[in-house]
């Protein structure tokens, strides 16, 4: 099933949509956070009638298991350029709550200034392909295509770089076109940055994820970089940059995650 199909929603009533967490989009039997965020954004674009999630914040309430979902939305404001809406995903209990601003990024215009260079990386064919196994990487990796920067892929063999950073390339399988909702998936598709830190590592559950969409991506691989500066108080942040195949910054993200205990 395509990413678009796996994140589809259908309207059942005013402000309410049906969806389904598809099997295979999981990490340790729990649905990937970016995948859940994309389902919420699909409902948000439908409720507001705006094609793009401009800024969206998600709070993760409980693990998402494969099966049917109800997505309850509320349009809080609908202006000339932007609409603001909430969306809550629920299975047998609430899974995810979001608040987002929706609009049309094709209408965006204004001055250009970028004080950061595009991340330098080898071509995708020279990077490390991530493929799922029975244990690690998880099944989710079979639904997308990832190529990790060779300098950031050593954690898989115990050779950590020592720098909490993960860089690489992302695209959907079978050359499926990317829209602005698919960019949300890219913000939460890579291994955690802590895997490369000189610290005890395990999976880092996400408390909150915010994504900003700047443009719809051009066809081709997305160049992605995620970094962490602060690991303190039992938390870490991951700041993400996503650049498209023609060198445009198309999305940014910040995630707050729990550091594993012990």
């Amino acid at each position: 099933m395509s990413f678009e199909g796996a994140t589809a929603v259908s309207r059942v009533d005013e402000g309410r949509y049906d969806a389904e967490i598809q099997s295979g989009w999981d990490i340790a039997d729990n649905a990937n956070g970016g995948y859940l965020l994309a389902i919420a954004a699909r409902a948000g674009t439908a409720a507001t009638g705006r094609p793009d999630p401009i800024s969206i914040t998600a709070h993760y309430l409980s693990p998402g298991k494969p099966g049917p979902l109800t997505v309850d939305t509320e349009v809080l404001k609908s202006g000339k350029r932007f609409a603001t809406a909430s969306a809550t995903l629920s299975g047998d209990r609430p899974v995810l709550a979001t608040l987002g601003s929706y609009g049309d990024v094709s209408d965006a215009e204004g001055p250009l200034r970028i004080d950061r260079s595009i991340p330098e990386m080898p071509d995708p064919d020279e990077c490390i392909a991530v493929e799922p196994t029975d244990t690690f990487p998880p099944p989710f990796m079979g639904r997308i295509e990832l190529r990790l920067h060779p300098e950031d892929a050593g954690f898989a063999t115990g050779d950590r770089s020592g720098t909490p950073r993960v860089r690489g390339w992302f695209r959907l399988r079978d050359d499926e076109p990317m829209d602005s909702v698919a960019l949300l998936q890219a913000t939460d598709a890579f291994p955690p940055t802590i895997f490369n830190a000189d610290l005890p590592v395990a999976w880092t559950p996400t408390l909150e994820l915010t994504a900003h969409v700047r443009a719809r991506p051009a066809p081709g691989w997305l160049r992605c970089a995620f970094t962490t500066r602060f690991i303190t108080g039992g938390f870490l942040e991951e700041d993400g940059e996503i650049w498209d195949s023609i060198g445009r910054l198309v999305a940014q993200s910040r995630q707050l995650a729990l550091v594993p205990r012990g």
Side-chain angles (χ1 to χ4, degrees):
M1 178 181 288
S2 68
F3 174 78
E4 183 177 11
T7 58
V9 301
S10 59
R11 185 179 183 274
V12 294
D13 201 350
E14 182 68 29
R16 174 164 286 191
Y17 299 82
D18 279 345
E20 185 167 353
I21 296 177
Q22 301 291 333
S23 60
W25 291 86
D26 62 281
I27 297 171
D29 297 323
N30 297 321
N32 169 264
Y35 170 66
L36 294 175
L37 179 58
I39 294 174
R42 293 279 188 219
T45 60
T48 62
R50 314 296 173 100
D52 303 302
I54 306 298
S55 176
I56 186 168
T57 295
H59 289 265
Y60 293 85
L61 309 177
S62 64
K65 303 294 184 181
L69 286 173
T70 297
V71 187
D72 289 303
T73 67
E74 181 181 1
V75 178
L76 305 174
K77 178 182 178 181
S78 186
K80 183 177 181 181
R81 292 186 60 195
F82 303 108
T84 301
S86 63
T88 301
L89 276 59
S90 301
D92 56 0
R93 56 181 173 170
V95 173
L96 177 76
T98 70
L99 183 65
S101 294
Y102 297 85
D104 187 339
V105 291
S106 64
D107 292 338
E109 58 182 34
L112 178 64
R113 173 175 171 171
I114 298 176
D115 290 336
R116 187 177 181 91
S117 60
I118 189 170
E120 293 186 5
M121 283 190 285
D123 290 339
D125 289 343
E126 299 174 6
C127 290
I128 309 300
V130 181
E131 299 291 346
T133 67
D134 291 338
T135 54
F136 183 87
F140 165 71
M141 295 303 178
R143 303 296 185 180
I144 59 174
E145 287 195 76
L146 286 189
R147 302 286 189 273
L148 296 184
H149 193 302
E151 294 178 3
D152 300 340
F155 65 85
T157 58
D159 184 20
R160 304 177 197 167
S161 68
T163 301
R165 176 182 64 192
V166 175
R167 295 162 294 173
W169 301 91
F170 172 96
R171 69 181 179 186
L172 298 176
R173 293 272 176 182
D174 302 319
D175 293 322
E176 182 180 351
M178 293 276 296
D179 60 9
S180 56
V181 173
L183 287 174
L184 304 180
Q185 176 64 86
T187 66
D188 193 41
F190 284 78
T193 55
I194 198 173
F195 280 14
N196 275 322
D198 292 325
L199 294 168
V201 298
W203 210 259
T204 52
T206 303
L207 290 180
E208 180 265 336
L209 172 61
T210 295
H212 298 159
V213 172
R214 302 297 188 94
R216 295 177 201 142
W221 287 98
L222 297 176
R223 184 188 303 248
C224 306
F226 299 88
T227 57
T228 292
R229 295 178 299 162
F230 305 105
I231 302 174
T232 180
F235 302 95
L236 63 83
E237 93 291 343
E238 280 192 15
D239 288 320
E241 304 171 21
I242 299 176
W243 304 72
D244 71 2
S245 59
I246 60 174
R248 294 181 304 167
L249 178 72
V250 292
Q252 293 172 277
S253 64
R254 168 163 279 196
Q255 179 177 162
L256 182 68
L258 290 174
V259 175
R261 294 181 177 180

